[in-house]
Every structure is written in C-alpha cells, then in structure tokens.
Amino acid sequence: MVRLRAHSGCERRTGVDETVAGQARAPVRGAGPRGVEAAGPKGTVTERAIEQIKAMIAEGRLEPGERLPTERDLAARLGISRSSMREAIRALTVLGVLEARHGSGIYVTQLEAGDLLETFGVVADLSRGPQLVELLEVRRILESTATALAAARITEGELAEVEKHLAAMNATDDPEEILSHDLAFHRAIVAAAGNETMAAILEGLSSRTFRARVWRGYQEEGAFARTRREHAAIHRALVAHDPEAARAAAAAHVGEVEEWLRTQLRG
Amino acid sequence: MVRLRAHSGCERRTGVDETVAGQARAPVRGAGPRGVEAAGPKGTVTERAIEQIKAMIAEGRLEPGERLPTERDLAARLGISRSSMREAIRALTVLGVLEARHGSGIYVTQLEAGDLLETFGVVADLSRGPQLVELLEVRRILESTATALAAARITEGELAEVEKHLAAMNATDDPEEILSHDLAFHRAIVAAAGNETMAAILEGLSSRTFRARVWRGYQEEGAFARTRREHAAIHRALVAHDPEAARAAAAAHVGEVEEWLRTQLRG
DNA sequence: ACCATGGAGTTGGTCCGACCACTACGACCG
DNA sequence: CGGTCGTAGTGGTCGGACCAACTCCATGGT
C-alpha cells in the first residue's frame, strides 16, 4: 500500500491553468441554491432543450419542413452550450422529428408516419424471447386488418404490383431474394389499405433484420411450401375482394410463424 | 426591408490562437483519401457509433441491465471523441435503449416493451390532421382486440380495478379527473389482455397530451353521456366474459371519436 | 444577355480540454 | 462495529477551435 495521497491542502486540480487566462467563470450559473431563477427545475439541460424544441413544433411555432435557427443561435437562445444543444438536436434527429443537412441547416421533417415511426424498427431489432411473440401478435392483428381493408379497396394497378412480387417469389430459390419479395408482397398489400400510419408501423414490425432472425429458423424447416400456399390464399381473397377471407388468410399466415416461435421458446 | 445582413469585412475569427502552442494536429485522422482504412464509409461518426452500440446489444455482447464502459473508454475504443460518443449515447437514451445514471455509469435498459415504446408518445403528440385519424384507426383496431382478449381472460381482481376507475369517472365533473380515470380505465383493461407490447403501444396512442387535444373538443359537445354509456357497455361485456361484445363495444367507442374527428377535418 | 466558375461566408460535424455535480467505495474515527 | 468523511471515478456542461459541405453571388468568359 503505497499510500501516496492525502497530504492535505493539496491543489488537486487547479494549478494547471495559467496557460490560458484564468477562467473568470465564477458566477456561471447555479450560483444560488436553485432559488427563484428562471431555469426549470427539470432534469438535464439537454432534456429541457429537447422538450422545448418539441413544444415549439407541437405549438405550431415551427411548421413541418421549416428551417430552425442555427445550432449556435439555438444554444444561445436557450442559454446552453452548443454541445448540449447538439445532443438535443441529435436526439430529435434519431426520433425522426428533425433533419440536419450539413452546410445548410436543420429542418423539421414533414412529420409524416414514415418519418416518426422509423424508430419502430429498433424495437423489433432489440426485442427477444417472449417479447418477439407479443410483437408478432400485434403484427397479426394489424396485418390481418390491413389485408382485409386492402381486399375491399385494392385497385387493378395495386393488385398487379402484388402479383409481381408473388410471381418473383415463386420463381427463385435464393432465400435472400425470397425474403425481399416476401417483404415487398406484404408491403404492397398494406399500402393498398390506405392507412400510412399503419403501414409505417408494420414496416417496422417486418424490418429486414427482424424477419431474418425469425424466418431463418422457420423456413429451414421446409415451410416454403406452406408459405406459398398461404400467400396464394391471401392473393385469392384480394382478387375476390373478400375482406373476411383476406383477414383470415393473413391472420393464419402470421399466426403460423407466431405459433412456431412459441414452440421454439418452450423447447 | 432593412436587410442588414452582410456587413462584409470584419475579422471574424482567426488570429486568436497563439495563446496556446500551435496545434500540431496535422495528421490527425482521415489523412488518407479514405482508402483501405478500417472506418466504414457510412454517415457521420455519431451514427456509426449508434449502430455499433446497437449491434453490441443485438449480438448479445451487452445484456439487458449490464453496465457499459465509460463514455471516455467507449469513445477511445471506437476512435471517436467523447462529444460524438455522448451524442450517440444520448440518442440511444431517448430511444429507451440506454439509461445514464449520473456519477454511476451507463446501463442497458431491460429492453422491455415499456422502455422501447415510450417514444411512441412523440408520434401521437406531433401528429396532426389526417394523421390523427389514421392513428385513431390503429388504436381502434388494437384496442378493440385487446378488449376482446381481456373479456376472455380478465380475473376478479383486474375487473375490480376496472370498476374502480369506472365508478370514479362517473362520480366527478372535473374534466381533468375524468380524463385521468378514463385513461386508467382503458389501461386496466388493456393490461388484462396480457400483451405488454400491445399495452405499451396503446399507452403511447392514448398519451395524455394526445387525448387532451382530441378529447377537449369532443367532450365539449356534450359527449359525456354517450361516453358513459359506451363505457358501461364495455364493462358489461367484460363481466359477461363475452369477447365479441367487448370487441364491438370498444371499436364503437373509439370509432365515435374517430368519426367526430373526421368531420372536424372536413368542416 | 446568359451561364459556368470560383471564392467567401454560413452552417453542421468533429475534436479537445477543462470543470462541475453526483455516486460509490473505502479509510478513518467514535 | 457502524457512521462519517474523503476521494476517486463517472456522467453533465461548457467553450473554443478546426474541418467539411453547402449557398450564394460576383466574376468572367461565351
């Protein structure tokens, strides 16, 4: 035990400046014991900044597509450092609320379903175990309803798009390509349902990595044939414009995977 | 139009160094023309850091609840500055993936539905116009199914919780309190459905600010009586353990608001 | 008159280093 | 043995410097 500390009255830090003029930063902020100052008593300054920007948008002081002031401006305006402001902006960027264009400025996104629900994919990618089953259950509910809606509304052009991917899926043996067209098949159907918000949620629930994780094992068990039959059933219902048949077919389709995953977790 | 921008000249910055020894920062990084170096050619370093941390969790190298290395460590490990690393961490924090405890460290959350879907509320808070209708349609689909599931599974204890809020809601005239118990009423039902993921999504779709925005106008039109009747119908179906009746009652309940909002947008 | 071009200024992206605030853990003292 | 007080360690904040990408306009050639 060397024991080389203590020696009271030491200078700890300090004594290192003198390179630059002493930082006259005595009365920075928080000098008072959090008295009647202006700053809200909430959490970190960054969190406060996030809330304030969100509030600006919610209150309509910032319209979708509109450009925000500079990072430097914003920071000065809220009385925080640019670093903290950047953290706030980054946070809102990953949430799909803001969009930063290097050299140009920061803009509010269109706040459409696709923008805001992109993060939904993260949930699907990081969930595991029983949570995956719950996620599939949600997908079953939404996708079956969406498919039913699509059966009632789908146009000739949209149906052609669906059939294109259905044919492509049946014409190849490359798992990668099958997965791609499988995704596109369902995406085309959901798009025909006419609810972009639902489509965006389902997009997240069917994200590439999510499906790759679950379907890998599923299809290795020779489920290709069954998948094909189920897709055909969904397609028939769409052609017949039969919502209830479409709902049942879609629910069964997702339900199959769901049930398989459930047994996997038990074993 | 004053247009007092410009004001050319002015020495801007530069000429301020010389306080510290010249920064011998010539060959920092990126010296080579992005040749065969290690760094991925993707977007900003921060985005890369976000993806890498996410990957660490997805691959199981970081377990839920586990503590991460220091910000300083992490930054050094990925070869980026602490500032950039902090932005990445902040982003994952707002996504509900990480949790920072001041003075202690950074931890992976339990990655449960509630953690990851908290951001869903942002969508509801920032959506407007037609998107609100789409959001309500999603809620109608999910909530009606959840209520049906609850009717089949609900226990005596859970039913008592539901009835508590139903009674409290009918016993007051304070809109604030009604809203609170209304939320709790539906929350208790959805909880009885047994799918935490669905519950978390519906929680976001019924966030306080969201409901306040829509409900305000809706209830001002004297919809209290109707709301009460609908709640009673839902309750009856739960008591009778009748899933289909519960589904219909819940769908009608949300559908009423949905339809009202639709007319609002037209007018 | 019109368009390509180039440079200057603006703005986000990255980095550094310092200091502050909080926590955890262990030595010290009663 | 248990409470107390430091101290080291960690996230939080700050300010400044420089880099890289974009914008806009003056310039000059066609």
Side-chain angles (χ1 to χ4, degrees):
Chain A
M1 316 310 202
V2 259
R3 185 70 68 91
L4 46 70
R5 67 189 176 294
H7 75 296
S8 66
C10 77
E11 68 286 70
R12 219 158 90 64
R13 300 162 191 163
T14 73
V16 197
D17 29 1
E18 95 187 42
T19 58
V20 193
Q23 50 272 34
R25 209 196 304 166
V28 188
R29 179 184 52 84
R34 199 170 275 295
V36 285
E37 259 308 2
K42 284 181 289 186
T44 68
V45 287
T46 301
E47 285 165 12
R48 248 177 295 164
I50 293 176
E51 290 307 318
Q52 295 196 41
I53 296 179
K54 247 172 47 183
M56 278 192 246
I57 298 174
E59 293 167 15
R61 284 188 286 164
L62 281 176
E63 290 295 316
E66 189 175 342
R67 191 194 144 168
L68 276 70
T70 319
E71 288 182 346
R72 296 162 171 92
D73 261 15
L74 236 33
R77 207 171 294 198
L78 301 190
I80 67 179
S81 70
R82 190 164 68 118
S83 313
S84 301
M85 179 53 73
R86 274 189 60 76
E87 283 185 28
I89 293 170
R90 173 70 66 181
L92 290 169
T93 296
V94 303
L95 286 181
V97 175
L98 299 182
E99 181 189 351
R101 296 182 210 156
H102 192 164
S104 173
I106 305 168
Y107 301 78
V108 182
T109 67
Q110 290 307 123
L111 298 179
E112 288 171 356
D115 302 321
L116 297 172
L117 290 167
E118 206 166 324
T119 67
F120 210 84
V122 180
V123 182
D125 289 345
L126 295 182
S127 295
R128 55 178 78 185
Q131 212 163 331
L132 283 178
V133 178
E134 292 194 350
L135 233 32
L136 269 177
E137 190 174 2
V138 172
R139 188 183 160 217
R140 173 163 51 84
I141 296 167
L142 289 178
E143 181 122 11
S144 59
T145 304
T147 305
L149 286 172
R153 303 175 180 172
I154 198 165
T155 66
E156 288 304 314
E158 292 167 335
L159 194 55
E161 173 78 7
V162 171
E163 286 164 348
K164 190 182 80 181
H165 293 294
L166 184 61
M169 200 175 350
N170 288 334
T172 179
D173 280 334
D174 177 21
E176 270 306 305
E177 205 171 342
I178 291 181
L179 181 61
S180 276
H181 286 294
D182 188 0
L183 281 171
F185 172 77
H186 289 290
R187 181 164 27 226
I189 294 173
V190 171
N195 184 322
E196 289 182 33
T197 300
M198 208 188 315
I201 294 176
L202 283 170
E203 185 71 28
L205 288 179
S206 311
S207 81
R208 201 168 182 80
T209 71
F210 174 72
R211 274 174 94 103
R213 272 197 301 160
V214 176
W215 280 52
R216 188 181 309 153
Y218 180 60
Q219 303 223 326
E220 273 173 2
E221 299 191 357
F224 287 105
R226 176 156 59 193
T227 298
R228 253 168 231 195
R229 252 182 290 125
E230 291 167 352
H231 280 169
I234 292 174
H235 176 244
R236 270 196 307 275
L238 292 178
V239 172
H241 292 289
D242 184 339
E244 281 314 310
R247 160 173 271 119
H253 181 49
V254 180
E256 282 292 336
V257 186
E258 191 181 334
E259 198 48 46
W260 172 82
L261 183 58
R262 228 186 285 267
T263 64
Q264 289 299 103
L265 292 176
R266 268 200 288 273
Chain B
M1 324 294 218
V2 256
R3 194 58 72 94
L4 43 70
R5 228 199 324 233
H7 76 293
S8 63
C10 88
E11 67 295 68
R12 234 162 76 64
R13 32 196 102 123
T14 70
V16 199
D17 29 2
E18 91 189 44
T19 57
V20 194
Q23 49 274 27
R25 206 193 313 158
V28 188
R29 179 184 54 82
R34 200 171 274 293
V36 285
E37 260 308 3
K42 285 181 288 187
T44 70
V45 286
T46 301
E47 285 166 11
R48 249 176 295 165
I50 294 175
E51 290 307 318
Q52 295 197 39
I53 295 180
K54 249 172 44 183
M56 279 191 243
I57 298 173
E59 294 169 15
R61 284 188 287 166
L62 281 175
E63 290 296 314
E66 189 176 340
R67 193 195 141 166
L68 275 71
T70 314
E71 288 181 347
R72 296 164 170 89
D73 261 17
L74 235 34
R77 207 171 296 198
L78 301 191
I80 67 180
S81 72
R82 185 154 85 110
S83 313
S84 301
M85 179 52 74
R86 272 189 61 77
E87 283 184 27
I89 292 170
R90 172 71 64 184
L92 290 170
T93 296
V94 303
L95 286 181
V97 175
L98 299 181
E99 180 189 350
R101 295 182 211 156
H102 191 162
S104 173
I106 305 166
Y107 301 79
V108 182
T109 67
Q110 290 307 123
L111 298 179
E112 288 171 357
D115 301 320
L116 296 172
L117 289 167
E118 206 167 323
T119 66
F120 209 82
V122 180
V123 183
D125 290 343
L126 295 182
S127 295
R128 54 179 78 184
Q131 212 164 333
L132 283 178
V133 178
E134 292 194 351
L135 232 32
L136 269 177
E137 188 174 3
V138 172
R139 187 182 163 218
R140 173 164 52 83
I141 296 166
L142 288 179
E143 181 123 10
S144 59
T145 304
T147 305
L149 286 172
R153 303 175 180 173
I154 197 165
T155 66
E156 288 303 315
E158 291 167 336
L159 194 55
E161 172 78 6
V162 171
E163 287 164 348
K164 191 182 80 182
H165 293 295
L166 184 60
M169 200 174 353
N170 288 334
T172 179
D173 281 335
D174 177 21
E176 270 304 306
E177 205 170 342
I178 291 182
L179 181 61
S180 275
H181 287 294
D182 189 358
L183 281 172
F185 172 77
H186 289 290
R187 180 162 27 225
I189 295 173
V190 171
N195 185 323
E196 290 182 35
T197 301
M198 208 187 314
I201 294 175
L202 283 170
E203 185 70 29
L205 288 180
S206 311
S207 83
R208 203 170 181 76
T209 71
F210 174 73
R211 274 176 95 104
R213 272 196 301 159
V214 177
W215 243 246
R216 189 181 309 152
Y218 180 59
Q219 301 224 327
E220 272 174 4
E221 299 192 355
F224 288 104
R226 177 156 59 193
T227 298
R228 254 167 231 198
R229 253 182 290 127
E230 292 167 353
H231 280 169
I234 291 174
H235 175 244
R236 269 198 307 276
L238 292 178
V239 172
H241 292 290
D242 183 340
E244 280 315 309
R247 159 173 271 119
H253 181 50
V254 180
E256 281 293 336
V257 187
E258 191 182 333
E259 198 47 47
W260 172 83
L261 183 58
R262 228 186 284 267
T263 64
Q264 288 299 104
L265 292 177
R266 268 199 289 272

